Amino acid sequence: MTRQASSTHVSPFQALHTLPLNAVEITDGFWKNKQDINGTDSLSHGYAMLEDSGALDNLRIAAGALTGEHRGMRFQDSDVYKWLEAASYELVRADSASLRQQIDSVIDLIAAAQEADGYINSYYQIKFKPEDRFTHEDHDHELYCAGHLIEAAVAHHRATGSPRLLDIARRFVEHIDHVFGKGKREEAPGHQGIELALVELYRETGEPKYLALAEFFVDERGKNTMRGWVHFTPSYYQDRVPVRENDRVEGHAVRALYLTSGMADLYLETGEQALLDAMLRQWHDFTDRKMYITGGAGARHFDEAFGDPYELPDDSGYCETCAAIASIMWNWRLLQITGQARYADVIERTLYNGFLSGVSLDGRAFFYVNPLLVRDSHVREPWYQCACCPPNVMRLLASLSRYLLTVSEREVQIHQYATARFRGDVPGAGSVCLNMETNYPWDGSVTLTVTEAGSGDWRLRLRVPQWCTAAQVRLNGQSVEATFEGGYLILSGPRKAGDVIALDLPMTPRLTRAHPYVASARGSVALERGPLVYCLEAVDQDEAVSLLNVQLDPNAAFQAAHRADLLGGTVTLSGHGYALDLTPWQNQLYLPYDHSSNTARNPIELHFIPYHQWGNRGAGPMRVWIPVA
Amino acid sequence: MTRQASSTHVSPFQALHTLPLNAVEITDGFWKNKQDINGTDSLSHGYAMLEDSGALDNLRIAAGALTGEHRGMRFQDSDVYKWLEAASYELVRADSASLRQQIDSVIDLIAAAQEADGYINSYYQIKFKPEDRFTHEDHDHELYCAGHLIEAAVAHHRATGSPRLLDIARRFVEHIDHVFGKGKREEAPGHQGIELALVELYRETGEPKYLALAEFFVDERGKNTMRGWVHFTPSYYQDRVPVRENDRVEGHAVRALYLTSGMADLYLETGEQALLDAMLRQWHDFTDRKMYITGGAGARHFDEAFGDPYELPDDSGYCETCAAIASIMWNWRLLQITGQARYADVIERTLYNGFLSGVSLDGRAFFYVNPLLVRDSHVREPWYQCACCPPNVMRLLASLSRYLLTVSEREVQIHQYATARFRGDVPGAGSVCLNMETNYPWDGSVTLTVTEAGSGDWRLRLRVPQWCTAAQVRLNGQSVEATFEGGYLILSGPRKAGDVIALDLPMTPRLTRAHPYVASARGSVALERGPLVYCLEAVDQDEAVSLLNVQLDPNAAFQAAHRADLLGGTVTLSGHGYALDLTPWQNQLYLPYDHSSNTARNPIELHFIPYHQWGNRGAGPMRVWIPVA
């Protein structure tokens, strides 16, 4: 088994250092189960869908190995690249000869499809003439696909050490660099993604022109010229103002957050303050005004876009799975830059809720859209005509271990809790090995065992999640002095092998309100426990109860039940509430105020499950925000 | 001046008889002002926009009188036809040589563009070969455009007596009848409209095959086969089930309500109970679950569609102006069929609110979308790339008098109140003339003077709007015996010239709640007065007040002020409320329940204007549903 380290590049403006892919391994528990299902069921299902959907055939046709018409979306190639990125990470996690073979066969196909000049995009190769290439980049997604090819190539190189896919990507980038740039085609891509990919390629290869090209694409954006069919304005493309002047997240949510991720990557290399300032303004706009309680991003179906501030409808909320992933990517970079826990908090919220809802328990069906209220039904599909989300889920799950820990000078930071092993070099303290054990997110007790202690004093920085108000830490069974700073508990001192640090993050069910401007949550609460947002699913309620018709007693004592038999293991919550008597509303949509204000109600019990687990027992209603009695 | 009567056709299943176009004339007051602006400013502005947008040039190109590319939407011709329909009605209301000339020149153009075989659709004529016609009717709108041509032709014939446009339309219909039908192309149009138009053409000409073709198109729908780009399912096209089996309004709202209007027209001629049953189920689905308080229809931007039951967001609500018009058309037909006031109530609600908001006070700018909450800005545009709404507004305003009165055996029904003169034959009672005077919607006093009394006993049926709980009627200054039945006050007996009937409909400001399932209105009220829904517009509030941040005291005494100087004349309402103290929410989108439930607040005065008048004083926030304190 080859487990290559990641690139040895250290970004100069990183407060926290990311670790090689193989430094952290998730060894058991909640996420191990998700990763195992992803590595087996999802990846093989995904490969079959690449065949079914024509994505692989498109490349075969472009390669001249097959005749026929292009099928699917104009950016269908990106499905292949995202799957390849996921599969490459999976090799690090759980190498397999058959997966390697599948990866190699797909790379063969890409190699065969690539033109002599480096260009590759099956849609354009099949349907258009060479002179048509890059002429409609605002909507034809050639650079977007290139970005995913690069990301796959970097992942494949890091995972296997093989330069094969990396060379293909580099040849395409050389071609792009030949076409785009100052004095050449001066245009930003309509759909972002290539910016962050080019910075990664720079890190992997050390070639500075890739970084320059990333910067060029970031700089080109904001000329207020991009427009699309009928209602698509420059805001949709984040093209309204130059990126350094923007103070909001706007337009198509995935594009917006891939762009900010690329800006963050650029900052990590250049340290340009204006980029960071713009990002911090945008981050506040996102988290103070436009983020769902699930971490979901994007309020509008129409253009898959952010809405106005506080426009966070529960029913028609979009919350595309890809946008949740993009938010995790962006917050991960902001965490590296700043070392501040608030970014890890957003990652946690998104990971356990708005991201994880995107995939079924069996790993073979996916939500594109993740609403917070479903009145009728909303079901995960095996694949989509626009299949951006499923392989995006796969690449995040396969590479999830990267988000758990970072290091810096004489310090290890633990951001996310999972049963995992860390083995790596801590700058100034040498080789350290830690075993982390936890039943997170079902309970908040985390045990860290030092199995290799490094040398001298070093700090262990443990994130206390924002939701936790009573964190406790003990060292070898004894209370220990720890400082609390910026959302982290810090334990200092020399460590010895066998040291056991026990962190307790009590998970008391809690009720959360939204800002009064959020209409969908007005007069309502969400129930949360630990990192999990809960929801009501119709299947768990008494038959007579309609989810639209319930109120929650905010003084209810919620009963938590660990249920190994349900939903592959879960913790359910039950509490007291009411069902409204709707008799006065028979055939009435609007009534005078005084007639309807004294609505009678009947007591009921309400049964909650974690939001991310909903929709795994057939179709039916679901609801997160519950009016309070 | 030629003022032709409408067709002499009497639909056999009409409980109430519609009147010829010239039987009712709006002579003064609120609607006269709207009609005058429409007849001058809007129609001339509209003609200029038909030139600007390429709509007329498209016909010139199709006619071979101009060379160039087709411009605009594939259904751009329909803008011309709707303008022509409006202009034709305007001739009845206020004949003008210059408008006649403009109308004739447009008809010349259409005549020149029509193919020898009767076909006319500039988009197809310019861009495609003859064999391509009608091959993508599910999205190419050829039959939709034909429907608008027919409606224009019938209006023009009724207004002028000239058969010229009618003949053009009939030739196209002959062509369509040659292509579509049993054993021919068995398909329904993707966008409805032709169904009701064909029934009108049948009424105007007496040609039964037009009625048969309308029925064919209604019958063909519901095969569950229509699908469009990515997310457009059969529901979008009302093609999920056969129309007689449907029990909901679903999909694209304008299509859905043009279809039901066509079904109603079909019922009026055939009396087929299954059609009426389906419509009544759909009507309840609409008015009990899917209609905005403004009468607006369509909750979703994404597909311009109805949402789930009770999915009525205020901010992202669609409420297309065309859908409001379509609802008025449908309810008008249901009123004819049943004689029940509830349909006139929906017409009133829609007319004064969700429809009228669609046009600016100067008649030269239009909303396509009519939300109930605007956080930032939403401005009326002079025209749209998809310009369905502006000329649709024009044709409704120009023909508005038709909605005021109907007659039946020895009875006159007054459904809508306006200063107007009715002169016509009442079956069994001979010639009757009534003058109606009122300052409606600003106050509820209506005076009816009989100037020609007819013969023998006949009934006067006066609608008491649903909102009015204290209607009073007097005859010649004395109290009079009147029965109240099905939403109407009925005065019986012989009338004599000079009789004065005074109806008083007191307009006390009132607060209205929505069904508890409507999230956007949860814990909130709307302020109404008479037929008008009120709103807060930022420009009327104290500078420090944010509309998102207010509560209304439900016990407030609202002060009504008649303001001739404001918005071309209005009645404003003011009442007591509060501004929330948002200090705890600084940089917080979600907080624990107990921390945020005791929100402090400061008393303020809130100043309301009628919803339909908002947005006429620059861009800014607006809000209908206001949380109660």
Side-chain angles (χ1 to χ4, degrees), chain A residues 41 119 314 359:
Chain A
D41 298 85
Y119 183 89
D314 51 358
V359 56

Side-chain angles (χ1 to χ4, degrees), chain A residues 291 513 522 524 590-591, chain B residues 291 513 522 524 590-591 593:
Chain A
M291 186 181 75
R513 291 191 81 183
R522 193 186 305 131
S524 301
Y590 304 105
L591 283 177
Chain B
M291 186 181 75
R513 292 191 79 182
R522 193 186 306 130
S524 301
Y590 303 105
L591 283 177
Y593 177 70

Side-chain angles (χ1 to χ4, degrees), chain A residues 335 339 341 344 414-415 461-463 483-490:
Chain A
L335 178 61
I414 304 189
H415 307 292
R461 194 179 273 258
L462 306 171
R463 185 174 66 93
T483 56
F484 184 69
E485 182 188 294
Y488 290 86
L489 277 172
I490 306 167

